[in-house]
Amino acid sequence: NKYDIKDIKEYRKLIKSAFIMRRKTLVNNLIKAYPLSREQVENILTSLGFKVDVRGEDLSSNDYVNLYNEIEKVL
């Protein structure tokens, strides 16, 4: 495995949730998919160097791995 992903099923859930509603920001999609507050999701994104209005299509594969790992820490 090229990336450090503990649970591939959860990683797939993250990817799917990021694109479920394409015109929504990543924050909006993630707060619908996870038991996280808007503030928690915004903090995770900014800690990774993203703007809070970033969209799913703006992230690379590596960005998603980092996002996955940060969400796992909070959950």
Side-chain angles (χ1 to χ4, degrees):
N1 190 342
K2 181 178 173 184
Y3 299 108
D4 183 28
I5 299 170
K6 288 189 298 190
D7 186 340
I8 196 71
K9 192 173 178 184
E10 282 298 313
Y11 179 72
R12 285 187 181 129
K13 174 187 172 184
L14 169 63
I15 301 298
K16 187 175 181 179
S17 67
F19 291 96
I20 197 115
M21 299 179 83
R22 287 193 76 104
R23 297 310 310 147
K24 295 268 188 194
T25 61
L26 192 55
V27 169
N28 287 329
N29 285 337
L30 294 179
I31 60 176
K32 284 185 175 32
Y34 293 94
L36 297 169
S37 69
R38 176 173 297 278
E39 183 181 15
Q40 286 174 304
V41 174
E42 288 177 353
N43 287 341
I44 289 169
L45 291 175
T46 56
S47 76
L48 293 170
F50 299 112
K51 294 180 180 178
V52 294
D53 63 349
V54 69
R55 297 191 187 278
E57 61 264 23
D58 297 328
L59 275 64
S60 69
S61 298
N62 203 46
D63 292 334
Y64 275 107
V65 172
N66 293 333
L67 179 58
Y68 163 80
N69 287 325
E70 289 302 309
I71 288 174
E72 287 297 306
K73 287 179 193 173
V74 175
L75 294 177

